[in-house]
């Protein structure tokens, strides 16, 4: 009674107390209470208590449902009968509602059925038990019908803490009782007021995809009941759900496929097609039209392989789907978009025709089908284009409205790409251009209403990758048209995007040299219109300089002047610092095409424009500058060093400007943003220059070593990774590289002596072990014999269970690279050192890896952990299996049975003998599923495996 009163008081506080703090405390208390053993009895008592209010009933029904799903193993062995009796009584009590309570009780009974073998319910399992209950207590049929509905749904509910074997058994039990379940539902059809509920239950059972013959379903009373509801107004939602599931059922491989289900298809498809007229009926309820659209889309998606044959019957379906696509409501029209994509794949991919044999036959059939479907895709282009048009009140759109509009545009763009793949990009372009001329004519050829033209230009942008670079009929006219557009921001933004998208066409055009100046003027206009427009113009500028770089080599000075105005804000340009990097990249690509002597001069000018503001800042107090004041210029260096592919020229510039880099290194080593920007610039300088930068690299590494020990910036580690990649195998660099890695790793291992410290510094862990993997690959002769190698392995063991995804991945990858050392470094001396380090730690590493599979790490990391365990097993074979056996034996049998552990260990043993990796994956997933099935089991397993206890040992290195 004390607990019951406490629950009532907490619920009252949660729903009615005026103080937010009190409500939060009440919510936390109730959540904690739900995890206790007392929650079983308290929830059950309050549900049976006639004085409980609705809030109490809902909370207690949810609690009882959750307890049955997750904590059934808490109950003593003989508790099933009492629990079933109590839940049955409650199901009868709430057979008329409240609906939320009845649903929770139904799910609880279904979850109980998942846990408990069919034999415990009597002959025939839960379905026979349910039928008997319904026969004995017909007044409670609504409650029992809801149970019958949720039973198949719970088959795939992984909140239920059932073992995988038991889950499979339950699915088999239900499928074996399918006929009995459908018989119960058929009998209930006679109760008119329960028809909707019966059909919802039928739809639920169909989701099991059990192979009921099509001929049986075609004549089944439940199917005819659903089809007869098509004549009702409004449409029955349950009927639509049934027919939708039947469509999916007929296409499911487990039901025998379409050929085996032909009798059923011949019954349902004509009935669906008869609804086509409702799509154009403006008086029809919108929800009904959505339901009809959904059915047509289901037919298209499920039977696309049949439709792709181009038969007369399939074209009837295609024309019906075009009607759905034409519907003015986008939510309805877009239901068909997946079909048009799937059909495009069926028509264009060679695999669709592989059964035909010869290349000639394949090509002939492909052309025949494309010819049949081209008119449909031509219509499709016309039907979707208008949907990307801005509304008249576009300026009043909210952020969410604009976001939705962008998603609509990208969805339409995907459909246009599908059309271009069927029709050809040039043909699709012609259709869109004719629409553009029509739109222009309707607005008086002066773009008074810019919106229709902008929409079509967007569509032309969408298909840019599919228009041939030699297209000479439409694109010249489009480019000419762009030069006469009004200065409207959205229109100009789309024009800039289009220009950038057709940069390859511009390069190939016969009049490319004469067109480019006018195109550049469009982009300059865009840079001064709005920030969004300037961003589009800067991106287009980059594309044009990339693809037309040879034609632009003679215009470097003009391009440089545009760049200077853009980054300095001259001429009213509105290019942001971030977007200006597109301009830097653009000029870098043009400089790459210049001869070396000209490239050196051009790069010098560009670097001077980036260095000057930094040198001016250095004359003041650098420490007081905001990071952004520096990084905007340093990032321009980074892009120049990355995209100017003249190693000598880049090396000359990094050497020339090293003085200002040195000042920033020494003045702001504490500033993460500035250091990241500076290290990025150095990284690209090293990557591009290679050995040309040898004179600067020594001092650069000295700065990294010194400042890393003081300020622990992760970026110093990733810059070191780049240096190792370029110079790792260079004998002349061996001494200072050895000193570098030993200094960096020694300091890092001191920083991360516990999982808590690794968790506090995930970026350092990530970059440290990325660097370690690079060392294994590029300078194993410096790294593996080093005294820092064993402590770094220990540090990796400490960090395996870090929750940070990237850090965890880097650590596991490093360990995997060690286990797989022979793949990259097949020298016996290194393998011997590796073995001397790993073998004494093997049992501990294996225990931590198995603990990670069993819940120490999120299930999303299973693949990475599995691969590490796989590599360990393949290298150390039966010794690794022995380590695994030792670890698995620690797990209590209540959590993992002897059979379950044996299956896992056998799969691991097979791997040791060379079996395929796929043979292990399923068993790893089962081990993980069993050990994570509820919080109690997971805690029990982790307490047994103790992944944070390392038992580190000192190992001799030879």
């Amino acid at each position: 009674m004390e607990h019951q009163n406490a629950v009532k008081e907490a619920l009252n506080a949660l729903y009615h107390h005026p103080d937010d703090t009190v409500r939060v405390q009440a919510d936390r208390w109730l959540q904690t209470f739900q995890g206790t053993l007392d929650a079983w009895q308290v929830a059950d008592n309050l549900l049976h208590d006639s004085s409980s209010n609705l809030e109490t009933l809902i909370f207690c029904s949810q609690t009882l449902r959750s307890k049955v799903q997750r904590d059934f193993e808490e109950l003593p062995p003989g508790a099933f009968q009492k629990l079933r009796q109590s839940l049955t009584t409650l199901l009868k009590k709430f057979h008329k509602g409240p609906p939320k309570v009845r649903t929770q009780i139904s799910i609880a009974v279904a979850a109980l059925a998942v846990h408990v073998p069919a034999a415990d319910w009597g002959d025939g399992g839960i379905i026979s038990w349910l039928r008997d209950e319904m026969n004995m207590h017909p007044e409670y049929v609504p409650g029992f019908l809801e149970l019958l509905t949720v039973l198949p749904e719970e088959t795939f509910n992984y909140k239920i803490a059932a073992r995988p074997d038991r889950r499979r058994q339950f699915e088999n039990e239900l499928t074996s009782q399918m006929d009995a379940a459908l018989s119960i539902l058929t009998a209930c059809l006679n109760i008119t007021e329960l028809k909707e509920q019966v059909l919802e239950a039928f739809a639920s059972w169909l989701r099991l995809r059990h192979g009921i013959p099509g001929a049986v379903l075609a004549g089944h009373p439940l199917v005819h009941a659903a089809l007869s509801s098509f004549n009702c107004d409004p449409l029955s939602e349950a009927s639509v759900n049934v027919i939708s599931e039947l469509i999916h059922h007929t296409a499911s491989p487990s039901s025998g496929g379409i050929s085996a289900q032909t009798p059923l298809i011949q019954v349902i498809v004509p009935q669906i097609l008869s609804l086509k007229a409702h799509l154009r009926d403006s008086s029809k309820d919108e929800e009904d039209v959505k339901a009809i659209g959904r059915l047509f889309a289901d037919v298209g998606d499920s039977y696309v392989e049949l439709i792709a044959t181009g038969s007369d019957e399939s074209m009837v379906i295609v024309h019906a789907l075009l009607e759905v696509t034409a519907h003015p409501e986008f939510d309805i029209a877009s239901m068909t978009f997946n079909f048009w994509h799937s059909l495009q794949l069926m028509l264009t991919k060679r695999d669709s025709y592989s059964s035909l044999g010869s290349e000639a036959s394949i090509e002939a059939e492909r052309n025949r089908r494309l010819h049949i479907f081209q008119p449909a895709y031509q219509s499709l282009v016309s039907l979707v284009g208008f949907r990307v048009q801005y509304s008249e009140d576009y300026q009043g759109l909210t952020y969410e409205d604009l976001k939705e509009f962008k998603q609509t545009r990208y969805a339409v763009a995907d459909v246009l790409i599908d059309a271009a793949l069927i029709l050809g990009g040039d043909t699709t372009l012609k259709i869109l251009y004719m629409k553009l001329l029509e739109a222009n004519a309707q607005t008086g050829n002066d773009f008074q209403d810019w919106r229709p033209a902008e929409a079509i230009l967007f569509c032309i942008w969408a298909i840019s990758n599919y228009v041939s670079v030699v297209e000479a009929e439409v694109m010249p006219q489009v480019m000419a048209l762009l030069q006469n557009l009004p200065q409207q921001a959205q229109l100009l933004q789309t024009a800039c995007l289009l220009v950038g998208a057709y940069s390859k066409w511009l390069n190939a055009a016969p009049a490319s040299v004469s067109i480019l100046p006018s195109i550049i003027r469009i982009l300059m206009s865009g840079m001064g219109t709005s920030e969004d427009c300037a961003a589009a113009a800067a991106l287009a500028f980059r594309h044009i300089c990339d693809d037309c770089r040879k034609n632009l080599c003679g215009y470097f000075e003009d391009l440089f002047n545009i760049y200077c105005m853009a980054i300095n804000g001259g001429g009213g340009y509105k290019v942001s610092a971030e977007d200006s990097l597109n301009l830097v990249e653009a000029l870098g690509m043009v400089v790459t095409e210049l001869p070396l002597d000209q490239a050196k001069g051009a790069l010098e000018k560009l670097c001077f424009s980036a260095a000057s503001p930094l040198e001016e800042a250095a004359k003041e107090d650098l420490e007081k500058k905001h990071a952004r004041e520096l990084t905007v210029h340093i990032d321009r260096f980074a892009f120049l060093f990355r995209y100017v592919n003249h190693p000598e020229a880049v090396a000359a510039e990094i050497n020339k400007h090293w003085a200002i880099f040195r000042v920033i290194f020494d003045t702001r080593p504490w500033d993460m943003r500035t250091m990241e920007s500076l290290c990025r610039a150095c990284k690209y300088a090293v990557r591009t220059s290679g050995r040309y930068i040898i004179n600067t690299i020594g001092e650069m590494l000295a700065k990294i070593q010194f400042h890393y020990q003081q300020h622990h910036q992760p970026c110093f580690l990733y810059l070191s990774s780049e240096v190792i990649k370029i110079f790792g195998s260079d004998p002349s660099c061996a001494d200072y590289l050895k000193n570098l890695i030993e200094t960096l790793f020694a300091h890092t291992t001191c920083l991360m002596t516990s999982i808590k410290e690794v968790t506090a510094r995930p970026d350092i862990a990530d970059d440290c072990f990325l660097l370690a993997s690079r060392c294994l690959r590029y300078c194993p002769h410096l790294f593996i014999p080093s005294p820092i190698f064993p402590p770094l392995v220990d540090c990796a063991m400490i960090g395996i269970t870090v929750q940070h995804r990237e850090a965890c991945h880097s650590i596991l990858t490093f360990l995997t690279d060690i286990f797989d050392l022979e793949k990259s470094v097949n020298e016996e001396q290194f393998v011997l050192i590796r073995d001397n380090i790993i073998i004494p730690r093997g049992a501990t590493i294996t225990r931590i890896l198995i603990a990670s599979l069993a819940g120490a790490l999120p299930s999303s990391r299973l693949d990475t952990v599995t691969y590490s365990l796989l590599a360990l097993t393949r290298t150390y074979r039966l010794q690794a299996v022995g380590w695994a056996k030792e670890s698995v034996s620690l797990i209590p049998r209540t959590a993992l049975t002897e059979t379950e552990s044996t299956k896992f260990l056998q799969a691991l043993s097979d791997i040791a003998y060379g079996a395929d990796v796929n043979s292990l994956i399923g068993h790893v997933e089962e081990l993980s599923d069993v050990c994570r099935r509820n919080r109690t089991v997971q805690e029990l397993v982790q307490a047994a495996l103790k992944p944070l206890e390392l038992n580190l040992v000192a190992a001799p290195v030879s």
Side-chain angles (χ1 to χ4, degrees), residues 26 119 180 184 193 198 251 272 291 345 372 481 519 523 553 616 619 659 723 742 792 829 851 894 937:
I184 295 171
E193 60 269 26
V198 168
I272 294 170
L345 292 176
I372 289 171
L481 185 69
I519 294 301
L523 301 185
C553 282
E616 287 299 316
K619 293 175 184 176
V723 173
E742 288 185 358
L792 197 63
Q829 58 167 325
T894 53
V937 170

Side-chain angles (χ1 to χ4, degrees), residues 113 118 121-134 147-149 151-152 170 173-184 205:
W121 293 83
D123 291 341
I126 189 172
I127 300 301
S128 294
W129 172 86
L130 188 54
R131 182 191 57 214
D132 294 342
E133 288 286 334
M134 292 171 86
L147 172 56
L148 197 57
T149 304
L151 266 173
F170 180 68
E173 288 164 11
L174 286 196
T175 52
S176 69
Q177 291 292 308
M178 175 78 82
D179 291 343
L182 298 192
S183 296
I184 295 171
W205 278 85

Side-chain angles (χ1 to χ4, degrees), residues 68-125:
V68 177
Q69 285 180 332
R70 305 296 298 174
D71 300 324
F72 180 69
E73 291 178 67
E74 289 181 346
L75 298 177
F80 163 67
Q81 296 291 349
K82 286 184 179 180
L83 180 58
R84 182 181 69 177
Q85 183 57 48
S86 179
L87 289 171
T88 306
T89 303
L90 291 171
L91 199 57
K92 293 172 182 175
K93 176 181 177 180
F94 297 114
H95 75 281
K96 290 185 178 179
K100 287 183 179 178
V101 177
R102 185 179 69 193
T103 299
Q104 296 299 311
I105 300 299
S106 298
I107 295 172
V109 179
L112 187 62
V114 178
H115 285 296
V116 179
D120 288 8
W121 293 83
D123 291 341

Side-chain angles (χ1 to χ4, degrees), residues 251 256 362 377 583 611 638 714 791 897 928:
I362 289 172
Y377 277 91
L583 303 179
T897 65
S928 176

Side-chain angles (χ1 to χ4, degrees), residues 563-578:
Y563 164 74
C564 288
M565 282 195 293
I567 65 171
N568 295 324
Y573 286 178
K574 296 177 171 62
V575 182
S576 69
E578 185 178 349

Side-chain angles (χ1 to χ4, degrees), residues 440-461:
N440 202 13
Q442 287 172 5
T443 57
N445 292 314
D446 58 1
F447 298 102
Q448 285 182 350
D449 184 0
W450 56 270
R451 296 175 305 113
E454 189 278 337
I456 296 162
L457 289 176
F458 174 86
C459 294
I460 292 174
W461 165 84

